[in-house]
Amino acid sequence: MTVSLRFEDGTLRVDGDGLDEIPDVEYDARSDAGRAPAHRYAAVRDWLARHDRAVDDHALSLDPVTELQSDYELRSYQQDALDAWAARGDGDEPLPNRGCIELPTGSGKTVVAIGAIERLETPTLVVVPTLDLVHQWRTELEREFDVPVGQFGGGDQREEVLTVSTYDSAYLKAADIGDRFGLVIFDEVHHLGGEGYRDIGRLLAAPARMGLTATFERPDDAHEVIAELVGPLVYRLAADDLAGDHLASYDVKRLTVELTPEERERYEEHQSTFTDYLARSNIRFTSGSDYQELVKRSGTDPEAREALLAKQRARRIMMGSQAKLDALESILDDHRDDRIIVFTAHNELAYDISERFLVPTITHETGTSERRDVLEKFRDGTYSRVVTSNVLDEGVDVPDANVAVILSGSGSEREFTQRLGRILRPKADGGRALLYELVSAETAEERVASRRRG
């Protein structure tokens, strides 16, 4: 009983007898054939092989790949990560060449992915969140393999056996290109947990899948969906595991500062407006869905809108307090000879710091050419410090720095890990990296930071 497999518009078409026995295959009356989501191709193929079913497999349409060789010599932990990914794992549905790898920023996740490309020698799609990362990956792949590298995104729609795409472009093209790649690599794979982006994983038939991230788990538990689409977390190392050997040793200093009496009064007033509304409306505000519920209500309920605005005003007070700016001034004075990145949560504060301390700034509003110019001057030493509002947390190749200051942020483990990673590249002089975390006392910020850091 031969089973035929074909890719059709983001699905796997399955023809033959005994289709009801094959997991995930359902009968489709319109085509008089079985159907499965494209991402189940590897699992279906594996089941058929284990049950000795003959297969006429035309699901993939892969261009030939010339020999791919990289000059990278993987570090021991990079090789361990690659081997763990390549092995047929444990669990309910063990498949080789699938899974997510969690390594701290600056530890060479890209090198692990290059090792996978070299090992499999199959057409590969790399999916990344930003155009900056598209350019970085293209440069790296072209340098290592000396082949043309395609691009989806930024006005370019050129496909090659090695192609880099933004998540947005991959979302639009997945149903059309889903049979053309044997390996898909999701950089910053936590983005795949977003509702729309999940379809990228579902519509691609690529049997080999790798997810790269510094922080796999998501607070909304969407990492469970990522595990289904890409594979489980197969390898994890934290910054502490690599500090001193492969990453710079580091210290974290948390400085708790007080609000001024005026700031305290305004903060408590806004916070009370917010918490009083929650109490009246029976919203516990313990998850992202609670926040979305408040946003939804604010469209029709003036009190909900005022509560939401009050929360935002309270956050701005605690995140940009006068004492924080004073503490930042002291830090900048104490580290005149160091390379410093200052992180803020919103543009307005970044611009205030830039104007007050004459520090170049990068925000979402900064143009691509200006951003590259600032980073290049930071890299060559023209600038020794830069301030940013979230933009440099991920997706940008940031030059080496040895001091970071978190002036404000969400307090999430992912954000903290990404920012720490910006200063953890090994130092030529063997010096330690230093991260300052400035927290306003007796505010929601202090409670969140304490819960995250323990």
Side-chain angles (χ1 to χ4, degrees), residues 65-75 78-79 82 108-121 137 139-147 162:
V65 178
T66 56
E67 185 176 359
L68 297 176
Q69 287 189 329
S70 167
D71 292 331
Y72 275 119
E73 292 186 11
L74 273 63
R75 297 171 179 171
Q78 292 169 332
Q79 188 64 56
L82 181 59
K109 293 186 290 294
T110 303
V111 177
V112 180
I114 286 175
I117 296 171
E118 181 180 19
R119 178 178 292 193
L120 297 188
E121 289 190 329
W137 271 93
T139 299
E140 188 71 18
L141 294 176
E142 288 168 349
R143 179 170 60 239
E144 282 307 303
F145 296 123
D146 193 26
V147 296
L162 301 184

Side-chain angles (χ1 to χ4, degrees), residues 121-250:
E121 289 190 329
T122 186
T124 299
L125 176 68
V126 181
V127 185
V128 302
T130 67
L131 280 174
D132 284 308
L133 270 177
V134 168
H135 299 314
Q136 290 167 37
W137 271 93
R138 280 193 59 188
T139 299
E140 188 71 18
L141 294 176
E142 288 168 349
R143 179 170 60 239
E144 282 307 303
F145 296 123
D146 193 26
V147 296
V149 176
Q151 176 175 327
F152 298 149
D156 198 338
Q157 300 297 323
R158 181 170 51 87
E159 181 183 335
E160 301 285 353
V161 292
L162 301 184
T163 300
V164 187
S165 173
T166 62
Y167 276 87
D168 288 335
S169 291
Y171 173 74
L172 296 174
K173 297 181 71 68
D176 296 325
I177 63 170
D179 60 338
R180 300 181 199 167
F181 298 97
L183 167 63
V184 57
I185 295 168
F186 294 100
D187 197 7
E188 309 290 358
V189 71
H190 46 273
H191 288 273
L192 193 66
E195 280 292 342
Y197 289 155
R198 296 177 189 186
D199 282 344
I200 304 171
R202 294 185 179 116
L203 297 172
L204 296 175
R209 296 165 177 242
M210 175 180 283
L212 303 174
T213 184
T215 45
F216 176 66
E217 294 183 356
R218 288 175 49 125
D220 59 0
D221 293 330
H223 52 275
E224 296 177 4
V225 177
I226 295 171
E228 176 190 348
L229 296 175
V230 182
L233 185 65
V234 296
Y235 191 83
R236 166 187 275 165
L237 280 181
D240 286 345
D241 298 320
L242 298 177
D245 294 323
H246 301 292
L247 295 178
S249 298
Y250 70 94

Side-chain angles (χ1 to χ4, degrees), residues 381-437:
T382 303
Y383 300 147
S384 62
R385 49 196 64 179
V386 64
V387 59
T388 178
S389 57
N390 294 334
V391 186
L392 302 186
D393 286 356
E394 67 177 28
V396 180
D397 184 16
V398 180
D400 287 353
N402 63 317
V403 176
V405 183
I406 298 179
L407 203 69
S408 59
S410 69
S412 73
E413 191 67 40
R414 169 174 293 119
E415 181 182 80
F416 184 87
T417 301
Q418 288 167 334
R419 290 176 171 184
L420 178 61
R422 294 308 178 197
I423 59 172
L424 286 186
R425 290 179 175 83
K427 311 304 176 211
D429 60 0
R432 299 176 70 86
L434 181 58
L435 179 107
Y436 288 93
E437 186 179 16

Side-chain angles (χ1 to χ4, degrees), residues 253-324:
K253 291 186 177 182
R254 182 191 297 170
L255 304 182
T256 302
V257 300
E258 299 288 341
L259 299 180
T260 66
E262 181 185 358
E263 289 172 338
R264 172 62 61 186
E265 181 179 358
R266 289 189 290 118
Y267 174 81
E268 296 295 347
E269 177 185 350
H270 296 313
Q271 193 70 4
S272 293
T273 299
F274 171 65
T275 55
D276 288 349
Y277 177 82
L278 295 187
R280 294 195 308 273
S281 305
N282 199 29
I283 299 178
R284 300 187 62 184
F285 219 79
T286 57
S287 68
S289 61
D290 293 327
Y291 181 78
Q292 292 302 319
E293 174 62 23
L294 179 59
V295 172
K296 185 168 64 175
R297 291 190 188 186
S298 69
T300 56
D301 183 352
E303 290 189 355
R305 175 172 174 74
E306 183 56 33
L308 192 61
L309 291 174
K311 175 178 172 59
Q312 294 171 350
R313 294 178 186 125
R315 287 184 78 246
R316 288 181 179 271
I317 292 170
M318 73 180 182
M319 289 182 170
S321 67
Q322 183 59 49
K324 280 192 177 184

